[in-house]
């Protein structure tokens, strides 16, 4: 299995909702990442997990809460988001030898 | 500070023209990796090429070629005989240990439009 699977593909949520994005890989990669991409912008790094531990948090607001339950799974818990958080959220795994990206979750906050 | 600079925001060419997308990077690490990705309107990131800092060989893959020059910290991408299907945003990216633990650091991207 050489894919990173992200669910859901699309999500519309209200500002008071709580939702979670999921990411799964079975390539044995021990580093996993969350990126946020706004329209016409590059992907911006949010979090890095290395060996299931959070190693980098790029000053992301606390309304985004990452979780790595095991080496294959990465979650992003969302709570009290703002409309400006609407974006494509990409998950990736790998290291300098190569990265695999999921197809992303397109999030709309209303 | 911007680690990867793609100075060309948008490029428009007519089909069959050659086009070069520029990428300049900045790093203090001796071991690092450079990548090019294509992002069509559908949104998925399509991997094109990876180069490590110890391999300066240029590469050709069909109509695509890459010129890696450490002396100028550049990793440029040329599409020969462009086609409409090449229309997309192209990102150059750097992976280094530095402060980002080998996370990919993307340039701002170059939007390429190829018209018939």
């Amino acid at each position: 299995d050489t894919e990173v699977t992200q669910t859901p593909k699309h999500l519309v949520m209200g500002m008071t909702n709580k939702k979670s994005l999921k990411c799964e890989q079975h390539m044995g990669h021990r580093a996993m990442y969350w990126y946020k991409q706004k329209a016409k912008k590059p992907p911006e790094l949010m979090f890095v997990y290395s060996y299931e531990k959070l190693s980098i948090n790029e000053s992301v607001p606390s309304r985004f809460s990452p979780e790595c339950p095991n080496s294959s799974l990465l979650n992003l818990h969302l709570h009290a988001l703002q409309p400006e958080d609407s974006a494509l959220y990409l998950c990736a795994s790998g290291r300098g030898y190569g990265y695999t990206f999921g197809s992303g979750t397109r999030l709309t906050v209303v | 500070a911007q680690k990867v600079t793609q100075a060309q925001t948008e490029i428009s060419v007519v089909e069959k023209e050659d086009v070069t997308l520029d990428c300049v990077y900045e790093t203090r690490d001796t071991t690092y990796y450079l990548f090019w990705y294509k992002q069509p309107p559908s949104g998925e990131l399509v991997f094109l090429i990876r180069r490590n800092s110890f391999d300066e060989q240029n590469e050709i893959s069909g109509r695509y070629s890459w010129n890696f020059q450490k002396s100028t910290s550049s990793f440029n991408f040329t599409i020969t005989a462009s086609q409409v299907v090449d229309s997309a945003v192209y990102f150059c990216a750097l992976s280094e240990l530095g402060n980002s633990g080998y996370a990919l650091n993307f340039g701002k991207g170059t939007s390429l439009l190829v018209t018939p």
Side-chain angles (χ1 to χ4, degrees):
Chain A
D1 188 352
T2 58
E3 289 186 346
V4 171
T5 302
Q6 288 189 246
T7 55
K9 294 194 181 307
H10 300 274
L11 178 62
V12 178
M13 62 183 291
M15 288 187 283
T16 59
N17 291 160
K18 286 185 180 180
K19 296 286 185 183
S20 297
L21 309 185
K22 296 186 183 303
C23 174
E24 187 169 6
Q25 58 95 8
H26 295 288
M27 293 171 283
H29 293 163
R30 302 313 296 268
M32 297 184 74
Y33 313 84
W34 279 114
Y35 285 85
K36 173 183 178 179
Q37 186 177 23
K38 302 278 283 183
K40 299 188 183 299
K41 298 290 186 182
E44 291 182 358
L45 182 65
M46 300 175 72
F47 302 104
V48 179
Y49 270 84
S50 181
Y51 291 88
E52 298 150 57
K53 294 190 186 305
L54 182 65
S55 59
I56 293 177
N57 176 341
E58 291 285 357
S59 302
V60 179
S62 59
R63 57 186 185 269
F64 295 92
S65 176
E67 178 195 19
C68 189
N70 60 56
S71 60
S72 299
L73 290 174
L74 190 63
N75 297 322
L76 187 62
H77 303 297
L78 314 173
H79 174 54
L81 294 194
Q82 303 298 309
E84 58 264 29
D85 296 321
S86 298
L88 178 67
Y89 289 84
L90 292 162
C91 173
S93 68
R95 282 273 187 180
Y97 48 80
Y99 300 83
T100 302
F101 280 84
S103 56
T105 294
R106 200 165 291 277
L107 174 67
T108 303
V109 182
V110 297
Chain B
Q2 188 68 29
K3 294 266 188 177
V4 179
T5 301
Q6 296 180 252
Q8 305 146 308
T9 305
E10 294 181 349
I11 299 176
S12 183
V13 298
V14 177
E15 211 170 17
K16 299 183 183 174
E17 284 185 20
D18 298 347
V19 58
T20 295
L21 309 183
D22 297 333
C23 174
V24 174
Y25 62 93
E26 178 185 334
T27 180
R28 293 184 179 181
D29 288 10
T30 55
T31 299
Y32 55 90
Y33 304 87
L34 294 164
F35 296 79
W36 276 95
Y37 285 88
K38 174 182 180 180
Q39 190 173 43
S42 54
E44 77 273 22
L45 280 168
V46 179
F47 166 77
L48 296 178
I49 190 171
R50 164 188 170 271
R51 265 283 174 269
N52 72 53
S53 51
F54 301 107
D55 182 3
E56 274 194 87
Q57 276 193 342
N58 293 326
E59 182 158 334
I60 297 175
S61 176
R63 296 183 297 107
Y64 295 169
S65 62
W66 291 269
N67 184 345
F68 177 24
Q69 294 199 344
K70 289 176 73 172
S71 60
T72 56
S73 297
S74 65
F75 186 41
N76 296 336
F77 172 32
T78 297
I79 302 175
T80 303
S82 60
Q83 299 177 0
V84 172
V85 293
D86 296 327
S87 297
V89 179
Y90 291 86
F91 292 103
C92 180
L94 168 70
S95 169
E96 56 176 350
L97 179 57
N99 293 325
S100 58
Y102 285 117
L104 275 173
N105 192 329
F106 289 85
K108 292 186 176 181
T110 297
S111 178
L112 175 65
L113 177 64
V114 182
T115 55

